[in-house]
Amino acid sequence: MNINQPVDLNNCDREPIHIPGSIQPHGCLLACDQSFRSVIRHSANAAAVLSFGNEINGRMIDDLLGEEIVHAIRNALARSNDPTRPALSFSLGLPSGQLFDIAVHNFKATIIVELEPAKPDIAQPLELARTMIGRINSIDQIDRLVRDTARLVQAMLNYDRVMIYQFEADGAGRVVSESKRGDLESFFGQYFPASDIPQQARALYLRNTIRIISDANAARIPIVPELDASGEPLDLSFAHLRSVSPIHCEYLRNMGVGASMSISIIIDGQLWGLIACHRYEPRTLTMAERVAAEMFGQFFSLHLSALKRKQKLEAAAKARQSLDRFLQLTARAPEIDDVLRDNLPEFASLVRSDGAAIWLRGRWHQFGETPPESDITGLLSLAETVADGHIWATHKLSNYALDAEHYADVASGVLIVPLSQRPRDYLFFFRKEIVHTLDWAGNPEKSYETGPLGDRLTPRKSFAIWKETVRRQSAPWTDEEREIAEATRMVLIEIVLRQNELIEEERSKSAVRQRMLNEELNHRVKNILAIIKSLVNRPERAGQDIESYVHSLQGRIQALAHAHDQVVRGDGGGSLAELMNAELSPYRASHSSIVIDGPPVWLDTRAFSVMALMLHELSTNAAKYGALSRAGGSLSVRWRLDGLTGCHIEWVESGGPPVVPPGRRGFGTVLIDRSVPFDLGGESDLVFRPEGLYGRFRIPAKFVSARAASARTPERHPTVGPPMAAEQSLGTTRVLIVEDQMLIAMNLEQILADAGVKDVMATASVAEALRCLQKDRPDVAILDVNLGGETSESLAQELKHRGIPFMFATGYGDNMIPVHKFPRTPVVQKPYEAATIIGHIGRLISPRRDPRRDA
């Protein structure tokens, strides 16, 4: 920190913790160029840890790690291109005979390889994660989930103290749950100031969901060189071994902590809190144990999020019942003012409050504890300023209205609900002052000292409880209460502005739709929890290693989240093909078959919302009870567009369990059967055939149009839809892929599909590829040089003989390619870049080339 820089509470926020120039000592690091050929930087301990010579920078990575290890790392990079999720490889043997766990990611044109000494058994941490997840997945109360999680993490991961740390609205953190060693003092219920976790650290907690400090007293291992030729440090934002801020280490030492682990709790993209673990002596978790803890943290976040949504739904349903009763009253009332005044106590019960008041058409009505009438003018002036067309709330009213100090005992908090488009019609909820004492873990006011790092903020040396008495504040307004207030605003605005225009038939339809939506939302939360539980508790096969388990679990949860997000964004209408793919993508797997086929169809806003709900029910039911619930099942969804009658959709399931008609019509069946006829005036027909469900639906023509998905969004999915116009030149190209790694082959197939290639043959061996050549002639081929126990050289000779152009793909160095036999054949390195692959294909199939000569 610059000693000439003014010292304030933002100094820690400016510390560049992502570029510390050093790592922790429980592993070593190699940084390579973008081509992954040579080492450009390394940690100073790399030579000792890896048994290398002293000269490392500038050496070829193949020479240091061996071709087999480099090949495995290239394949790992091809499988994962997200730096926030480094690719992991376990127990890889170096030429020296040492075993290492390796994490690798590509960030800012630098490939960063982290190596840690391996432990032979990685199955135990996988079982550990599954056990921990199994212990909390049936908990249905937030308080119990938070309490039991602290106990579980301490018991299973062997830390001395585990705290669930929740961030407050002002950024301060509060310990809401704690499990600790018996001889330690308790931090439960204590507050930690926002400055304890600087802003840039919070940003990294969002990007890296787990952070390990193995030894708070250990020396930092420098990166050599610290700066490159252009003067830039190495960005270690996503490196697990990234060293720790000296200020934070001092903070831990002041607490007596020798090692720590922090697991991020992320809800709706925001940092809700942390699972903070302390050990009073050094502790290093293996990479496998770290991944197990990370998996548990991600499931905990999902489970907590689902329970919070369920809590919101229950509160909203209760408020909706009260608002429905009020709607019925106003439908028969000749004067709306009298109804609002007489039902003010019921309004006050919608949101937890001590009093409520309404200002309507120049008249003030109140109930319970409210400010004196002499102060109403100032309150109305504030409302006109802060609540212009939207609700507004504060639990510190005196910060915004000076006169509020005089009546803070009866109204320290206010929630203002505007009732009309014109000003000065408002509903107010009030809360009394709560005089309470906050227990801080030490004095939250940081001091600064002059030392070897210059003038800087100094971590607290004492964590004895420091009490602060808080006045002129009420209990804060929660998100759930704000949502209920917003729902109340919408209902009251409708009543005030359209009282004499509403008819009973339209009101009845609106109530039915609202009730169906509430039931569907509640139903969907339960479905999502059930699907996530199923994904976590059932690996694809016995003996599955932790890397593939994590990869498939994360991919499926991400697909499920995308499908849910696609439905939520349905307000603006959208593509039928994209909607189908979004709903069915979580259930795509090798053991089932899903076919989606039809012309480009655009649904308007109303039809898109209706179909999103209906398709979610169909796809979820197919995964639970139908064709997608067992291996070998298949689902076919096809549609056609008729300009006169609309869009006709057929849903056909087969290969699943025997189907019998349901004994009772549940909510989902009613929604599928009635949504299209009721809301769109279309047709819906379900037939429960023994061999599988058959559904036929018709969306009327006024709700659909022949419009491509690209008109709405550039986002595409690898299932349906025509290629973009710019890619039509490859639309008829037939491509042969020879690759023994399934995920890499799938990646190539996706690259080709995105470029408009529809005809792809993927094989895993030379023999299989030769059989394909007997049946079909490809236009071009992509050959992996090394196919496990064989090479593709003999296949290349056959393609050359047949005059079929091809390119080589490899994760090894150039010495694996028989360049003297194929001097002009293109070679692409793993991990692949789409532009490189497509560019080579375009040149290879150019009619001006002679494949025999070029090969």
Side-chain angles (χ1 to χ4, degrees):
M1 211 173 277
N2 190 333
I3 61 173
N4 296 319
Q5 187 178 28
V7 178
D8 56 40
L9 289 178
N10 293 320
N11 281 74
C12 288
D13 291 339
R14 292 190 290 267
E15 185 181 6
I17 60 176
H18 62 297
I19 49 172
S22 57
I23 66 168
Q24 298 184 62
H26 60 273
C28 65
L29 180 146
L30 302 176
C32 301
D33 57 17
Q34 181 70 18
S35 65
F36 197 48
R37 293 179 180 273
S38 61
V39 178
I40 56 177
R41 303 193 212 193
H42 66 280
S43 60
N45 64 343
V49 173
L50 303 176
S51 301
F52 293 160
N54 292 328
E55 294 298 327
I56 295 180
N57 288 343
R59 292 183 63 181
M60 302 301 291
I61 191 69
D62 287 10
D63 296 338
L64 295 174
L65 301 183
E67 290 187 349
E68 291 294 334
I69 297 293
V70 172
H71 181 63
I73 292 175
R74 288 186 185 276
N75 281 337
L77 281 169
R79 292 193 298 267
S80 175
N81 59 3
D82 181 3
T84 66
R85 291 291 183 268
L88 307 178
S89 300
F90 296 92
S91 296
L92 296 182
L94 274 89
S96 63
Q98 299 168 284
L99 292 179
F100 285 90
D101 294 334
I102 298 178
V104 58
H105 68 278
N106 190 343
F107 187 53
K108 292 186 177 180
T110 301
I111 296 177
I112 297 176
V113 183
E114 301 175 83
L115 302 98
E116 302 172 48
K119 289 186 177 179
D121 182 15
I122 66 170
Q124 186 272 337
L126 174 58
E127 181 59 30
L128 172 66
R130 294 185 63 198
T131 300
M132 294 173 69
I133 289 170
R135 293 287 295 271
I136 68 169
N137 65 8
S138 61
I139 297 177
D140 59 0
Q141 297 294 327
I142 291 178
D143 290 345
R144 184 186 163 199
L145 175 67
V146 171
R147 182 191 69 227
D148 289 2
T149 293
R151 296 174 180 173
L152 184 63
V153 173
Q154 191 211 7
M156 302 298 283
L157 296 181
N158 196 25
Y159 279 89
D160 296 323
R161 184 198 305 273
V162 174
M163 299 172 286
I164 308 294
Y165 183 88
Q166 180 183 359
F167 293 117
E168 303 285 309
D170 60 359
R174 181 167 64 94
V175 179
V176 297
S177 178
E178 180 186 48
S179 181
K180 65 181 182 64
R181 209 174 63 199
D183 59 324
L184 297 176
E185 76 280 13
S186 175
F187 289 159
F188 178 71
Q190 294 185 27
Y191 287 80
F192 290 75
S195 55
D196 275 8
I197 303 180
Q199 290 300 319
Q200 81 277 27
R202 297 182 190 226
L204 282 177
Y205 277 127
L206 280 172
R207 302 163 79 180
N208 296 338
T209 57
I210 188 167
R211 180 69 168 134
I212 304 289
I213 299 174
S214 61
D215 187 349
N217 295 289
R220 294 147 57 102
I221 307 299
I223 300 295
V224 181
E226 182 177 357
L227 304 177
D228 63 13
S230 61
E232 291 296 321
L234 183 62
D235 193 322
L236 299 177
S237 294
F238 304 109
H240 160 71
L241 292 174
R242 171 171 50 85
S243 65
V244 187
S245 161
I247 297 177
H248 185 63
C249 285
E250 182 180 349
Y251 176 89
L252 293 177
R253 290 193 295 269
N254 288 348
M255 295 180 73
V257 174
S260 72
M261 175 176 69
S262 299
I263 304 174
S264 303
I265 305 172
I266 300 173
I267 296 180
D268 296 331
Q270 302 295 317
L271 189 62
W272 182 90
L274 299 170
I275 302 176
C277 309
H278 288 171
R279 178 78 175 236
Y280 290 86
E281 59 187 18
R283 169 153 172 70
T284 301
L285 267 66
T286 65
M287 184 182 294
E289 291 171 327
R290 194 165 67 245
V291 171
E294 183 179 19
M295 287 169 54
F296 174 79
Q298 290 175 343
F299 181 82
F300 175 82
S301 294
L302 287 169
H303 196 28
L304 178 61
S305 177
L307 291 181
K308 288 176 69 67
R309 286 190 173 92
K310 178 184 175 184
Q311 192 177 69
K312 287 184 180 181
L313 283 171
E314 291 172 347
K318 182 178 179 181
R320 187 73 235 181
Q321 291 176 358
S322 297
L323 293 174
D324 283 345
R325 288 194 297 270
F326 186 73
L327 279 171
Q328 294 172 3
L329 288 174
T330 58
R332 301 187 296 268
E335 181 55 53
I336 187 64
D337 293 35
D338 295 338
V339 177
L340 290 172
R341 182 188 65 242
D342 295 342
N343 287 274
L344 202 53
E346 186 167 358
F347 277 115
S349 68
L350 290 175
V351 177
R352 184 168 57 89
S353 60
D354 299 301
I358 190 167
W359 178 264
L360 184 64
R361 299 190 181 105
R363 298 173 60 189
W364 176 264
H365 308 289
Q366 64 189 46
F367 169 79
E369 298 285 349
T370 63
E373 291 193 25
S374 58
D375 291 296
I376 291 173
T377 301
L379 195 60
L380 291 174
S381 298
L382 174 65
E384 290 182 14
T385 303
V386 298
D388 183 14
H390 55 83
I391 65 168
W392 183 85
T394 179
H395 64 291
K396 302 177 182 179
L397 181 57
S398 59
N399 286 2
Y400 300 91
L402 296 179
D403 293 343
E405 294 183 2
H406 305 308
Y407 53 83
D409 56 331
V410 295
S412 283
V414 64
L415 193 159
I416 305 175
V417 182
L419 299 183
S420 61
Q421 294 178 343
R422 63 188 181 87
R424 301 184 74 83
D425 285 343
Y426 302 101
L427 172 65
F428 298 88
F429 296 95
F430 297 103
R431 282 182 177 168
K432 291 181 178 180
E433 177 186 33
I434 297 179
V435 180
H436 59 290
T437 301
L438 299 182
D439 290 338
W440 293 92
N443 189 336
E445 297 296 330
K446 286 193 174 183
S447 61
Y448 70 92
E449 299 174 354
T450 300
L453 299 178
D455 288 346
R456 63 175 178 83
L457 293 169
T458 304
R460 300 187 301 286
K461 292 182 173 62
S462 172
F463 289 83
I465 292 178
W466 191 87
K467 295 182 179 293
E468 177 188 11
T469 302
V470 178
R471 297 184 180 275
R472 293 194 293 277
Q473 293 185 20
S474 70
W477 306 93
T478 66
D479 291 340
E480 291 88 344
E481 290 164 339
R482 293 170 187 263
E483 290 178 6
I484 292 172
E486 177 62 23
T488 303
R489 183 185 75 87
M490 295 176 67
V491 169
L492 293 180
I493 286 178
E494 182 179 1
I495 293 171
V496 171
L497 297 181
R498 302 180 57 198
Q499 179 190 10
N500 297 324
E501 299 175 6
L502 295 176
I503 60 174
E504 189 63 32
E505 179 182 0
E506 186 60 28
R507 186 181 295 115
S508 177
K509 279 191 174 184
S510 176
V512 169
R513 283 194 293 268
Q514 184 63 54
R515 281 193 292 272
M516 289 185 70
L517 177 60
N518 285 341
E519 290 185 47
E520 167 60 16
L521 289 174
N522 186 45
H523 189 57
R524 179 164 297 200
V525 168
K526 293 178 180 178
N527 280 343
I528 290 174
L529 279 175
I531 292 170
I532 291 176
K533 177 181 176 182
S534 175
L535 292 178
V536 170
N537 284 341
R538 189 181 67 186
E540 290 186 25
R541 60 186 184 276
Q544 183 181 22
D545 64 78
I546 190 170
E547 180 185 6
S548 60
Y549 177 81
V550 172
H551 183 76
S552 61
L553 176 61
Q554 289 177 339
R556 289 176 180 175
I557 291 178
Q558 184 178 7
L560 183 65
H562 175 80
H564 183 70
D565 185 58
Q566 180 83 359
V567 171
V568 172
R569 295 201 314 267
D571 288 343
S575 161
L576 177 59
E578 286 187 351
L579 181 57
M580 291 282 188
N581 190 65
E583 287 295 349
L584 291 172
S585 60
Y587 312 110
R588 292 186 180 278
S590 59
H591 61 264
S592 62
S593 170
I594 300 176
V595 176
I596 302 174
D597 184 49
V601 173
W602 187 267
L603 306 177
D604 75 356
T605 302
R606 188 180 184 92
F608 188 86
S609 299
V610 171
M611 292 303 297
L613 298 178
M614 190 189 76
L615 288 173
H616 179 80
E617 289 301 322
L618 282 168
S619 57
T620 303
N621 289 343
K624 284 183 177 179
Y625 318 112
L628 303 184
S629 67
R630 63 163 52 171
S634 64
L635 168 64
S636 170
V637 187
R638 304 179 187 274
W639 64 89
R640 61 182 176 86
L641 188 61
D642 186 317
L644 295 178
T645 58
C647 182
H648 299 259
I649 303 172
E650 281 193 338
W651 178 286
V652 182
E653 297 181 31
S654 62
V659 175
V660 295
R664 56 179 293 274
R665 289 167 60 83
F667 171 75
T669 304
V670 173
L671 188 146
I672 296 170
D673 198 37
R674 294 185 57 193
S675 292
V676 172
F678 184 89
D679 286 299
L680 305 179
E683 296 173 4
S684 177
D685 184 27
L686 284 180
V687 180
F688 295 90
R689 299 174 175 174
E691 66 271 21
L693 179 70
Y694 172 82
R696 182 180 60 81
F697 312 95
R698 182 181 66 84
I699 307 173
K702 64 180 179 178
F703 297 108
V704 299
S705 60
R707 179 169 144 205
S710 57
R712 174 174 179 258
T713 173
E715 183 175 307
R716 303 176 62 202
H717 292 279
T719 320
V720 294
M724 297 173 62
E727 301 162 342
Q728 291 289 350
S729 60
L730 297 181
T732 59
T733 303
R734 177 177 296 170
V735 180
L736 171 66
I737 296 175
V738 185
E739 169 59 64
D740 63 334
Q741 295 282 328
M742 185 189 70
L743 289 176
I744 299 175
M746 292 173 61
N747 181 35
L748 274 174
E749 290 175 354
Q750 181 60 56
I751 290 173
L752 296 172
D754 287 344
V757 178
K758 299 178 181 178
D759 195 346
V760 177
M761 299 177 290
T763 65
S765 67
V766 171
E768 187 179 356
L770 290 173
R771 286 193 293 270
C772 285
L773 288 177
Q774 298 301 322
K775 299 176 182 179
D776 297 294
R777 176 186 173 88
D779 298 307
V780 67
I782 304 173
L783 311 182
D784 186 12
V785 175
N786 189 286
L787 299 171
E790 62 179 348
T791 72
S792 58
E793 181 178 345
S794 61
L795 178 60
Q797 292 285 10
E798 180 63 21
L799 292 172
K800 178 181 179 181
H801 175 72
R802 292 171 179 258
I804 299 173
F806 57 91
M807 71 181 80
F808 285 121
T810 181
Y812 288 93
D814 292 340
N815 59 325
M816 289 295 297
I817 304 169
V819 292
H820 62 285
K821 297 180 181 179
F822 309 97
R824 304 180 68 177
T825 298
V827 178
V828 292
Q829 292 284 339
K830 301 176 184 178
Y832 301 125
E833 291 187 3
T836 302
I837 296 290
I838 300 307
H840 281 312
I841 289 177
R843 287 186 288 274
L844 287 172
I845 65 174
S846 171
R848 292 173 294 179
R849 289 178 61 96
D850 183 347
R852 289 184 177 87
R853 184 192 67 208
D854 288 349

